Amino acid sequence: MAEPSRTAGPAVLGVDSGGSGLRLAVAPVAAPHARPETLYASDTPVRTGERGIDARHLLDQLLPAAEKLRQTVGVSGFAAVCVGAAGMATLGQDLRAALPRALADAFGVRDLALATDAVTGYAGALGQRPGVVVAAGTGPVSYKHLRAHETL
């Protein structure tokens, strides 16, 4: 982990949750296009249960790691959080119910984006540019962004 620059302002927290574990990155709001300097990674996958992805298990990992990153980076809080979770579309009921309040209570988060990891993987790799991303991990997916005049 690189030694981060200290900043007093808020940051954005990015979270990736999937079969290979949980990863977090923090980027100061003052430098939204800068590559995050500080990362957290755990190879413990978030469990699934009757309500899909287990929000409590995710939060048990996420909250302490996010607080440690907040302190390490030296930001005042998180202006927004984006969570990309494998299976979010079909298994995200528990996350949708629990994460907004838990993140608001812990960090004052008002803006939360929850998406499937196919969408966040694409955004992380290509931003708003057209292109194709294939994620061949524990659950392979592909995602293609088309220009207005293109077809599949």
Side-chain angles (χ1 to χ4, degrees), residues 15-57:
V15 179
D16 175 48
S17 174
S20 59
L22 183 70
R23 285 157 299 286
L24 281 68
V26 175
V29 171
H33 300 292
R35 191 167 183 87
E37 300 176 33
T38 304
L39 304 171
Y40 165 86
S42 166
D43 61 0
T44 303
V46 175
R47 293 186 297 256
T48 57
E50 291 178 9
R51 290 178 45 106
I53 301 165
D54 186 334
R56 183 77 262 154
H57 188 238

Side-chain angles (χ1 to χ4, degrees), residues 11 16 21 29 45 66 73 98 107 124 126 139:
D16 175 48
V29 171
V73 175
F107 301 111
L126 299 172

Side-chain angles (χ1 to χ4, degrees), residues 36-87:
E37 300 176 33
T38 304
L39 304 171
Y40 165 86
S42 166
D43 61 0
T44 303
V46 175
R47 293 186 297 256
T48 57
E50 291 178 9
R51 290 178 45 106
I53 301 165
D54 186 334
R56 183 77 262 154
H57 188 238
L58 174 72
L59 288 166
D60 286 348
Q61 293 183 64
L62 175 100
L63 295 178
E67 176 58 20
K68 184 174 180 180
L69 287 177
R70 188 194 67 72
Q71 291 175 14
T72 299
V73 175
V75 295
S76 59
F78 300 117
V81 175
C82 179
V83 177

